[in-house]
Amino acid sequence: MLIRFALIAGGLVVLALLIFAIALTLKRRGRLDEVRRYADPVMRAGLRVAARRLEGGKSGASWSRRQDGRR
């Protein structure tokens, strides 16, 4: 159990370092604002989808079943 936790935590740390390195590179090249402009609508849409899933979870039906039209 501890090994699994360590692997997941290590993976998250590596992912965070990778994202930080990409952001730092973009900032040095002066393109960070351009990337933010394109990423903002994507992030907003993702948050809306996540909010819909959380709100829909109260009814008991899974998201995939609602997409098919079945209950």
Side-chain angles (χ1 to χ4, degrees):
M1 183 89 137
L2 277 173
I3 293 173
R4 186 182 307 162
F5 175 74
L7 288 174
I8 291 171
L12 290 175
V13 168
V14 169
L15 183 64
L17 288 173
L18 183 65
I19 291 172
F20 178 74
I22 290 170
L24 189 63
T25 302
L26 289 170
K27 186 174 181 177
R28 286 183 180 171
R29 293 184 181 178
R31 294 188 175 179
L32 186 61
D33 290 331
E34 182 180 335
V35 171
R36 280 184 183 168
R37 189 173 63 234
Y38 288 116
D40 188 44
V42 174
M43 292 299 296
R44 288 179 191 264
L47 288 173
R48 267 189 252 121
V49 169
R52 273 191 228 130
R53 281 189 178 185
L54 288 174
E55 289 173 358
K58 295 176 185 173
S59 67
S62 72
W63 185 75
S64 61
R65 287 184 181 172
R66 285 195 313 267
Q67 288 292 64
D68 293 340
R70 292 180 283 166
R71 290 183 184 223

